Amino acid sequence: MTDTTRALINTFSAYLRDDRRRSPHTVRAYVITAERFTEFLMDHIGNGVGADEVKTVTQADIRAYLAHRRVDGLTNNSAARELSALRAFLKHVGGDEAQIPKIKGPKVKRGVPRPASPDDILALAGDAQDSASSDWVGARDWAVLLLLYGSGLRISEALDLTGDILPLSDTLRVTGKRGKTRIVPLLPQVREAIEHYIDLCPYPIAADFARCKHDDISGSPLFRGQRGGPLSPNMIRRVVQQARTRLGIADSTTPHALRHSFATHLLAGGADLRSLQELLGHASLSSTQVYTAVDAAHLLDVYNSAHPRAG
């Protein structure tokens, strides 16, 4: 790899880590894909690879790369994720005027609905961010999806949040069904994602921000649509649907499924049902007990795939 190519990869890595606030796992996976792709291009075009060469990548180049990777045993799921990483790389290098070749992702076999894995959730949120029309919209989508999974909120609860929650702390007061309020934890990564979105948002969020033009807007929506109004739940559902199609993630991975995954993962990690009931805002414990069945299904899958006498 030439010095020019290495500098391009390093810049991409810093962009993912510092600007996009992506997880170390995602940064590592995307950088590896970018390295493989630029090495392939060097063999494919016969000379060094810099920004100019990446900006002129064609649909045929990407198809040739994926075909090359198939020889190494690349599955449809992995191909879909590498394609997502390539789009992010091409968008970063090309900037605002990037012309990314349109390539339909491979067909992916849909399995039995199960709680999404943390890696799938981060990949979904990251793809939504990278595919957004602008940086602030991408930061918004990343923050919303992390909030749904990180705090177990219903989509309506997340989008009903206002500037009154600022400044953020390590907990969040949420108003759920029938006006019932509860306290949920706010992970540092989720708090940083929301604060990064606020920094980029072109619309005023809270009165104590210097850029605000109004004296009292504390009740304004936290998450904004393109024109500054409240963000629609259907917009987030559409963003998730498009991202999971590109990544080959199961159709069952909806915004509400992120809340289910939050509950299932906590239960698998040792959380008791009563605490989980409070975190989810369920009126009765019977509503929470459904997650014991979901977790049992997951454990049965693990048993059947791992035990030498299973099946």
Side-chain angles (χ1 to χ4, degrees):
M1 183 177 295
T2 65
D3 291 342
T4 299
T5 306
R6 173 49 61 191
L8 201 64
I9 298 295
N10 289 342
T11 302
F12 179 51
S13 177
Y15 163 76
L16 292 172
R17 183 186 64 250
D18 301 332
D19 295 349
R20 289 298 193 180
R21 310 291 181 90
R22 305 298 287 274
S23 71
H25 173 83
T26 300
V27 173
R28 182 168 58 253
Y30 275 34
V31 166
I32 288 174
T33 296
E35 288 174 341
R36 286 177 180 150
F37 183 61
T38 52
E39 288 171 1
F40 171 80
L41 282 182
M42 289 176 68
D43 293 335
H44 192 55
I45 65 180
N47 55 37
V49 173
D52 289 342
E53 286 75 22
V54 173
K55 289 177 182 178
T56 56
V57 161
T58 66
Q59 186 182 81
D61 293 327
I62 297 178
R63 290 190 183 281
Y65 168 74
L66 292 176
H68 169 74
R69 291 282 291 129
R70 289 289 191 183
V71 176
D72 297 330
L74 191 72
T75 65
N76 280 359
N77 278 3
S78 296
R81 294 185 186 187
E82 287 218 0
L83 190 54
S84 177
L86 287 178
R87 290 192 185 103
F89 181 53
L90 297 179
K91 182 177 180 180
H92 165 66
V93 175
D96 294 337
E97 299 179 358
Q99 298 293 323
I100 303 174
K102 293 183 178 180
I103 292 187
K104 187 177 181 180
K107 291 183 178 180
V108 178
K109 183 178 180 180
R110 307 297 183 182
V112 177
R114 287 288 184 264
S117 70
D119 283 350
D120 277 352
I121 292 170
L122 290 177
L124 186 82
D127 186 83
Q129 182 182 33
D130 290 335
S131 303
S133 58
S134 63
D135 285 349
W136 82 266
V137 171
R140 179 200 69 191
D141 295 345
W142 169 259
V144 169
L145 296 179
L146 256 60
L147 181 60
L148 297 182
Y149 174 62
S151 296
L153 302 192
R154 301 176 179 92
I155 188 170
S156 60
E157 293 171 343
L159 301 189
D160 282 346
L161 293 173
T162 70
D164 292 333
I165 70 169
L166 302 175
L168 298 173
S169 65
D170 55 359
T171 60
L172 190 65
R173 182 177 294 276
V174 177
T175 302
K177 291 183 177 180
R178 296 175 291 278
K180 182 181 178 181
T181 62
R182 69 184 189 278
I183 303 296
V184 298
L186 196 60
L187 297 173
Q189 300 93 321
V190 180
R191 185 170 66 248
E192 289 173 8
I194 295 173
E195 289 172 344
H196 182 57
Y197 152 70
I198 291 172
D199 287 341
L200 296 182
C201 182
Y203 303 105
I205 303 295
D208 59 348
F209 277 70
R211 67 177 181 279
C212 296
K213 300 178 181 178
H214 306 288
D215 293 329
D216 183 13
I217 54 166
S218 59
S220 61
L222 178 66
F223 295 111
R224 305 298 188 89
Q226 287 272 17
R227 298 181 180 180
L231 180 59
S232 164
N234 286 335
M235 177 57 68
I236 294 298
R237 294 187 184 101
R238 189 177 306 120
V239 164
V240 169
Q241 186 274 324
Q242 292 170 346
R244 71 176 183 242
T245 297
R246 287 189 294 267
L247 294 175
I249 293 175
D251 290 343
S252 58
T253 308
T254 62
H256 196 67
L258 302 188
R259 171 175 159 89
H260 289 314
S261 299
F262 162 86
T264 305
H265 296 163
L266 280 185
L267 189 63
D272 64 273
L273 280 178
R274 185 65 67 183
S275 297
L276 193 57
Q277 176 190 1
E278 291 297 322
L279 289 171
L280 293 172
H282 285 159
S284 66
L285 192 60
S286 61
S287 299
T288 312
Q289 287 173 330
V290 65
Y291 293 106
T292 61
V294 174
D295 191 53
H298 171 69
L299 291 176
L300 187 59
D301 280 348
V302 173
Y303 173 85
N304 286 332
S305 63
H307 196 286
R309 296 291 183 181

